[in-house]
Amino acid sequence: MAAEARDLALVAHHDLGGVGNGGEGLVLQVRPDGRRIFYIAHESAPLAVSILDVTDPRQPELLAQLPVEHPRVRGNSLAVVDNLLLVARQVAQAGEQPAGLWLYDVSDPAAPRALSFFDTSGGLSRGVHFVWCVDGKYAHLSTGAPDFVPTYPPDDQFYMIVDIQDPEHPREVGRWWLPGTRQGDDAPPITPRRRPRDNGARLHNANVLPARPDRAYLGYIDGGVIVLDISDPTAPRMVGRLVYPDDLPGYAHTATPLPNRNLLVVAEESVVPACQDAPKLVRLVDLADETQPRFRSAFPQPANRDELCRRGGRFGAHNVHEIMPLPGCGVSEHFVVGTFFAGGVRLYDIRDADHPEEIAYYIPEAPPDSPMGAIQLNDVYVDERGLIYTVDRHTGGLYILEYTGPVTLDWRSGAAA
């Protein structure tokens, strides 16, 4: 099937050296000499990271790739601040190595230099699934730990704050988990367990912005959406929690704040093929009272939703562009870009928070060697020029897109005309 588009056009494609399984970590680094370097985490072995020069977005150039240590480890998430690259390591089964977080010096992005490894292995820990760092001071992790025994096996990852100011000697400074998810908690276990599968009440992602360093916004999968007070990073405490009602399938995957609008953008990951866990949507959550977060609205589904469900693999929400206060990152509180696996990448106007509107989409053709028989777009990043970078989960590699529609989008300030 040929590529399908509405007001989004392909600028360039790169196959990542034939290893096109893009993961859930995309970051642009703008260097002092003006070069623009793009970092891509990989979904699974054999690679953890691909590094490309995208100074000319029409001719991306592969600079370096970092392998994982063996086929049962993944480097699915990364962060870049200044010349520091942080890359997750999660193993397939507790007890395997390495499980934790690598820190690299990327002063020369073509030759990353390992600085240290923050080890979270041991016990029932599978290591680090997600890393967020935008201030160069703290890394915010979804991880296990050797001294954390989950109530249920899927509850094995929680929130950890790691001081990285000395990148050769990172150290834990604080942690938090949803009460009831660790054996020995006074709180009862988290119920009910979601169906058609138990996804776990565990942390997936955390966003912390320097403009509000006392708050962490968590997508806690079947634990819902959580706001934490981290003004004391050694003792985080819960401010508010939004629990999914029983009639929704849950899976709060990505929660990213729009701080000037008291909103969270929350994406619910589709994890079962052919929409068997539908509906998996992107929603706006109202934080006007952060002690009582509430659903505000849901993004509309495509008119051909049923056909997209039949294309192969997954269809439904996964990731959205997360605002990172870093040079080169697009910042808008009026527009949201998300990935939907077989539904491609889709752009929404959310100026009316009660009635989000889809204004553009792009669905690449299925990569010829895709095991799903359809595109499976996994993650997305928007730069300050409005270029959209998105990756396929299996074999398709990197796609760079530009908006061609009638709405004026300003990704530097969030303004729109």
Side-chain angles (χ1 to χ4, degrees):
M1 181 178 291
E4 304 157 69
R6 173 191 172 194
D7 292 337
L8 286 175
L10 183 67
V11 172
H13 173 255
H14 198 287
D15 70 355
L16 305 181
V19 186
N21 57 345
E24 297 183 276
L26 305 177
V27 179
L28 179 69
Q29 177 194 44
V30 179
R31 300 185 63 81
D33 62 3
R35 285 195 303 157
R36 302 168 74 88
I37 309 300
F38 199 66
Y39 296 80
I40 299 173
H42 282 260
E43 178 68 26
S44 57
L47 295 177
V49 182
S50 288
I51 304 173
L52 297 93
D53 187 324
V54 295
T55 308
D56 179 355
R58 299 188 181 279
Q59 295 184 336
E61 176 188 357
L62 186 63
L63 298 178
Q65 293 181 310
L66 299 175
V68 293
E69 291 75 8
H70 58 81
R72 292 176 60 79
V73 65
R74 62 195 300 217
N76 184 53
S77 179
L78 60 77
V80 180
V81 182
D82 297 325
N83 286 321
L84 183 64
L85 167 65
L86 303 91
V87 186
R89 286 294 192 276
Q90 178 175 295
V91 292
Q93 185 173 343
E96 297 178 325
Q97 299 281 351
L101 183 75
W102 275 108
L103 288 80
Y104 299 87
D105 182 333
V106 287
S107 299
D108 179 357
R113 180 173 63 91
L115 296 173
S116 61
F117 183 72
F118 180 74
D119 192 346
T120 64
S121 68
L124 296 179
S125 173
R126 294 180 293 139
V128 175
H129 181 78
F130 171 87
V131 55
W132 172 270
C133 182
V134 295
D135 62 0
K137 184 176 181 181
Y138 292 123
H140 304 268
L141 308 183
S142 169
T143 187
D147 58 348
F148 186 89
V149 181
T151 303
Y152 296 109
D155 301 345
D156 63 338
Q157 291 174 322
F158 58 90
Y159 176 56
M160 180 184 288
I161 303 173
V162 177
D163 187 330
I164 58 156
Q165 294 174 87
D166 179 354
E168 295 186 358
H169 301 94
R171 63 182 184 88
E172 178 184 347
V173 295
R175 63 172 68 179
W176 183 90
W177 60 91
L178 185 61
T181 59
R182 190 190 74 156
Q183 288 188 20
D185 283 353
D186 292 335
I190 303 300
T191 56
R193 312 308 291 179
R194 299 285 178 182
R195 295 293 181 264
R197 56 185 285 176
D198 177 4
N199 297 301
R202 68 181 187 277
L203 178 65
H204 181 271
N205 94 315
N207 275 196
V208 180
L209 300 181
R212 193 70 197 273
D214 61 335
R215 289 292 183 269
Y217 302 94
L218 312 183
Y220 222 85
I221 306 186
D222 284 349
V225 179
I226 295 169
V227 181
L228 291 185
D229 182 335
I230 59 169
S231 53
D232 178 357
T234 69
R237 65 177 185 85
M238 184 161 64
V239 175
R241 179 183 173 207
L242 173 59
V243 179
Y244 274 76
D246 291 342
D247 60 341
L248 295 179
Y251 211 114
H253 180 273
T254 304
T256 191
L258 306 179
N260 294 316
R261 299 185 66 187
N262 289 323
L263 294 171
L264 274 178
V265 181
V266 177
E268 307 157 353
E269 182 181 7
S270 171
V271 293
V272 182
C275 299
Q276 296 178 60
D277 58 349
K280 292 299 182 74
L281 306 177
V282 178
R283 302 178 192 270
L284 290 178
V285 171
D286 194 311
L287 290 181
D289 178 358
E290 64 178 358
T291 68
Q292 297 289 332
R294 65 178 182 85
F295 289 123
R296 180 79 174 264
S297 59
F299 290 17
Q301 297 195 72
N304 64 334
R305 171 201 174 278
D306 292 346
E307 189 268 328
L308 290 170
C309 289
R310 296 191 294 269
R311 286 199 179 178
R314 307 179 190 185
F315 165 68
H318 189 209
N319 274 309
V320 293
H321 171 64
E322 296 166 276
I323 295 175
M324 303 176 192
L326 299 171
C329 184
V331 176
S332 175
E333 299 197 9
H334 296 155
F335 300 93
V336 172
V337 183
T339 49
F340 292 80
F341 298 116
V345 64
R346 312 184 87 91
L347 170 61
Y348 299 87
D349 182 338
I350 62 164
R351 286 174 287 181
D352 181 347
D354 294 314
H355 301 94
E357 177 186 2
E358 182 181 280
I359 59 173
Y361 63 84
Y362 187 89
I363 305 175
E365 63 183 331
D369 52 351
S370 172
M372 298 294 104
I375 195 70
Q376 296 282 277
L377 289 188
N378 213 28
D379 198 5
V380 64
Y381 179 97
V382 184
D383 73 17
E384 88 287 8
R385 302 174 299 184
L387 291 175
I388 297 171
Y389 305 75
T390 186
V391 291
D392 180 56
R393 186 180 183 90
H394 294 287
T395 60
L398 170 68
Y399 302 82
I400 303 177
L401 310 170
E402 62 182 352
Y403 177 67
T404 60
V407 180
T408 300
L409 310 182
D410 185 349
W411 287 95
R412 295 165 296 176
S413 67

